[in-house]
Amino acid sequence: MFKRAWLNVARVEELPRVGSYVTKEIEVARVSVILVKGRDDRIRAFHKRLPPPRKQVGVERLSE
């Protein structure tokens, strides 16, 4: 169930120039990813865990 796998976040063509970036939220893993093309033409990825989803408290109006 918790197996490592590659996830397609973006294509190389989406980062054509130095400073180009792409962001994506992967909700299944609760992770936000940013890809950045550096001055050396290398693409680097950074990730951040998203906070747990908040439960919404619903208030229903009772009809009289």
Side-chain angles (χ1 to χ4, degrees):
M1 181 172 155
F2 296 104
K3 194 161 80 170
R4 291 182 181 232
W6 287 97
L7 298 174
N8 183 6
V9 176
R11 296 181 53 91
V12 174
E13 295 84 15
E14 294 180 58
L15 301 160
R17 295 178 302 282
V18 171
S20 297
Y21 68 94
V22 175
T23 60
K24 185 170 186 177
E25 287 188 17
I26 304 171
E27 293 186 28
V28 174
R30 290 186 26 234
V31 172
S32 179
V33 178
I34 182 169
L35 300 174
V36 181
K37 189 165 192 174
R39 291 183 186 143
D40 57 358
D41 281 336
R42 293 185 67 187
I43 297 172
R44 292 176 175 82
F46 303 92
H47 72 284
K48 179 181 178 183
R49 299 233 3 120
L50 298 173
R54 295 182 182 211
K55 293 185 180 185
Q56 291 185 348
V57 177
V59 177
E60 292 184 29
R61 187 173 268 176
L62 300 174
S63 58
E64 295 179 17

